[in-house]
Amino acid sequence: MSTKLVRIAEKAKENRTLRFNNLAHLITPEFLMETWKKMNQKGASGVDGESMEEYGKDLERRVKDLCERLRSNRYKAPPVRRVYIPKPGKSDEKRPLGIPTVEDRLLQRAVARILEAVYEQDFLDCSYGFRPGRNPHHALKKLRDTIVTKKVMYILEADIRGYFNHINHEWLRKMIAHRIADPVILRLVGKWLNAGVMENGIVMQMGKGSPQGGPISPLLSNVYLHYVLDLWFEKTYKKLCKGETYLVRFADDYVVCFQHKQDANDFHQRLKQRLERFGLELAAEKTRILLFGRFARERKANNGEKPETFDFLGFTHVCGVDLNGKFALVRIPSKKSCRKFLDKVHEWLNKHIHWKRRDQQKELRGRLQGFYQYFGLHHCKPKLDWIRGQVEWQWIRVLRRQSQRHRLFWCYLKSRAWFELPYALRITHATV
């Protein structure tokens, strides 16, 4: 973080009610050049078709021109290009993304850095998504510590229906203005919200939502849920509970832990009303309260049942026991995560069926190592070995399709160096 951003962060931390009215002066050619180095240089192009490489060829002149248009209020936010990606585990459903132009992406990233310096001082410890120095494994560790060491008996697993598509613009502007009074920054945020999306050559204006894909979208979504959920939960609802209660949130995915079921039921009803007030809705089919924790196995065993499980950040959480027979939180890769990974590997193999075998091996090794890196927790080794075996079988089937009279039998392939794929040999996140 630059020296000026550090000073802004210090002021925001010292005075929680301070409104910053002079932030736009930070957007200089030098600041934009610094921001450019932090961006993904392989990012996709927007509606104008210009690539990162093309924009970077004349970067200094383009950046100066951008700053001049900002000072004279001549900057216009172009619409984002609408693309769709498959939803994890749902091949028939797709998630919409909005890809800004390279110039727009640069400016969004610069403004996001400024706003981040302010709002990082306001965000609560229960929030982990899209924040510097925090990642999904920090959220997983917090949830594990809470369930294992605190008085947790019930879990509320909730989901907000189409969160990014239903953010209310009017409420979001009010939330931003609570800390930001600079008219230039507020105008820019308003322009991005009203820019619209282009799909099949047609520009559509969106009265609500913040398209995923832009650098500022994660920050705006965090600000929205900070006021809608985090602050309300910590400052208001906790005081009404009879027992202990804890919230862990990563972007729009969150889990709430309760000591008493009455608190969980009451929170469920109040949460519905709270979200409706801000234009959001709970997905009823993905929201449930389940008995979970140290005594869940005993209570369920009395009825001849097994404790329920829940998914969070790609892991299925299970009530288990350690070697001493004490309660242990077991986390394994969820079915959805495994299916998503194997589907992507299968799709890649079919598209690159004629690649050289060594090149295929290099790609598959990299994909497996990435999977191991994220899911390398205790109790995950058997599932990771199963994933490796499934990738091997997918590869074998693709290789055999190259010829009608193949000789690629299992005993032959297992002795070939080019067919070797890595095992998950160690726990990557031992402390999580």
Side-chain angles (χ1 to χ4, degrees):
M1 188 181 295
S2 66
T3 305
K4 292 182 179 179
L5 292 182
V6 170
R7 291 175 185 168
I8 291 174
E10 291 173 350
K11 289 182 179 180
K13 188 174 183 179
E14 291 172 2
N15 189 346
R16 301 287 184 177
T17 61
L18 178 63
R19 297 183 70 217
F20 293 85
N21 57 13
N22 189 18
L23 295 175
H25 74 279
L26 295 174
I27 307 178
T28 61
E30 294 74 22
F31 187 76
L32 291 176
M33 295 286 286
E34 180 184 338
T35 303
W36 176 264
K37 297 177 182 178
K38 301 176 181 293
M39 295 176 60
N40 177 17
Q41 300 301 315
K42 296 182 180 180
S45 58
V47 294
D48 59 358
E50 186 176 37
S51 66
M52 295 286 291
E53 182 180 359
E54 292 170 344
Y55 190 89
K57 290 179 180 178
D58 195 12
L59 183 61
E60 291 188 14
R61 183 190 65 80
R62 301 287 295 271
V63 162
K64 289 179 180 178
D65 176 64
L66 176 58
C67 288
E68 290 176 2
R69 281 183 285 140
L70 279 176
R71 293 193 193 97
S72 58
N73 196 24
R74 291 185 292 113
Y75 178 79
K76 293 183 179 180
V80 297
R81 179 170 64 90
R82 175 73 85 197
V83 296
Y84 293 90
I85 61 173
K87 278 191 175 183
K90 298 180 180 179
S91 58
D92 56 335
E93 292 187 30
K94 297 194 180 233
R95 173 178 293 142
L97 292 182
I99 310 299
T101 63
V102 175
E103 183 178 73
D104 201 35
R105 201 179 311 155
L106 172 61
L107 186 56
Q108 284 192 30
R109 185 71 182 90
V111 174
R113 290 179 62 197
I114 297 172
L115 295 180
E116 192 176 79
V118 176
Y119 281 102
E120 270 301 308
Q121 318 313 314
D122 293 350
F123 290 155
L124 304 182
D125 287 338
C126 62
S127 169
Y128 291 87
F130 305 115
R131 295 181 58 186
R134 296 191 170 207
N135 59 45
H137 291 100
H138 292 133
L140 289 166
K141 184 178 187 305
K142 178 64 176 179
L143 180 59
R144 176 191 177 277
D145 293 344
T146 299
I147 293 175
V148 172
T149 64
K150 305 297 182 180
K151 297 177 181 179
V152 174
M153 286 292 295
Y154 295 92
I155 296 288
L156 172 66
E157 183 186 13
D159 184 77
I160 301 175
R161 193 186 306 279
Y163 169 64
F164 284 89
N165 298 328
H166 293 90
I167 294 177
N168 185 284
H169 290 179
E170 184 179 352
W171 274 115
L172 181 57
R173 288 191 181 95
K174 291 179 180 178
M175 294 169 184
I176 296 291
H178 186 71
R179 277 296 237 167
I180 308 299
D182 189 321
V184 177
I185 300 295
L186 294 177
R187 274 200 305 270
L188 281 175
V189 172
K191 287 179 180 180
W192 288 321
L193 292 177
N194 296 326
V197 298
M198 178 177 287
E199 187 173 357
N200 298 324
I202 301 174
V203 178
M204 297 175 289
Q205 297 298 324
M206 310 298 290
K208 57 183 178 180
S210 177
Q212 294 174 266
I216 203 169
S217 180
L219 177 65
L220 295 180
S221 66
N222 260 342
V223 170
Y224 201 75
L225 278 183
H226 169 71
Y227 287 103
V228 173
L229 180 61
D230 300 352
L231 276 181
W232 171 72
F233 177 82
E234 293 290 339
K235 304 298 182 182
T236 303
Y237 183 75
K238 263 192 170 184
K239 299 176 183 178
L240 306 175
C241 293
K242 295 182 178 180
E244 296 183 11
T245 178
Y246 305 93
L247 169 69
V248 179
R249 180 176 68 84
F250 188 93
D252 60 327
D253 294 328
Y254 59 95
V255 171
V256 192
C257 306
F258 298 92
Q259 181 181 358
H260 301 305
K261 189 173 183 179
Q262 182 180 349
D263 289 337
N265 290 329
D266 181 59
F267 177 79
H268 186 199
Q269 297 302 320
R270 291 175 181 267
L271 180 61
K272 286 182 181 178
Q273 300 171 5
R274 178 72 179 179
L275 294 180
E276 287 174 2
R277 179 185 175 189
F278 293 92
L280 302 176
E281 178 188 2
L282 275 180
E285 69 279 5
K286 298 181 181 179
T287 302
R288 62 189 178 122
I289 298 173
L290 62 148
L291 180 66
F292 196 94
R294 283 174 284 181
F295 306 106
R297 291 177 64 90
E298 299 174 8
R299 293 195 178 187
K300 287 287 186 179
N302 294 334
N303 299 325
E305 301 175 351
K306 291 183 179 180
E308 294 181 271
T309 64
F310 69 93
D311 292 350
F312 184 60
L313 298 181
F315 288 89
T316 297
H317 292 64
V318 183
C319 291
V321 293
D322 60 15
L323 296 178
N324 298 320
K326 296 182 179 180
F327 171 75
L329 180 62
V330 177
R331 294 161 298 176
I332 57 177
S334 66
K335 291 181 180 180
K336 181 188 293 187
S337 300
C338 295
R339 187 74 268 149
K340 176 184 176 182
F341 176 76
L342 292 175
D343 286 347
K344 285 188 174 181
V345 170
H346 184 258
E347 182 182 357
W348 185 89
L349 283 171
N350 285 332
K351 288 183 178 179
H352 301 84
I353 187 172
H354 297 300
W355 271 28
K356 293 181 179 179
R357 293 171 180 177
R358 286 287 185 180
D359 293 335
Q360 289 179 338
Q361 179 196 38
K362 183 179 179 181
E363 175 68 21
L364 294 177
R365 288 176 66 93
R367 288 174 179 259
L368 280 172
Q369 292 288 9
F371 192 83
Y372 298 160
Q373 180 69 25
Y374 183 81
F375 290 100
L377 303 186
H378 291 283
H379 310 111
C380 290
K381 183 69 164 60
K383 198 69 171 182
L384 299 183
D385 290 342
W386 179 81
I387 285 289
R388 179 188 177 278
Q390 292 297 307
V391 171
E392 277 188 338
W393 275 112
Q394 287 186 356
W395 193 12
I396 288 175
R397 287 193 287 268
V398 167
L399 292 174
R400 287 175 176 174
R401 289 211 322 263
Q402 293 178 344
S403 172
Q404 294 180 351
R405 304 178 67 178
H406 71 82
R407 297 179 180 272
L408 299 176
F409 300 103
W410 185 255
C411 57
Y412 168 79
L413 290 171
K414 293 300 288 185
S415 63
R416 302 294 96 181
W418 59 263
F419 189 72
E420 292 179 0
L421 294 177
Y423 285 92
L425 299 177
R426 61 189 180 88
I427 297 172
T428 310
H429 307 280
T431 60
V432 175

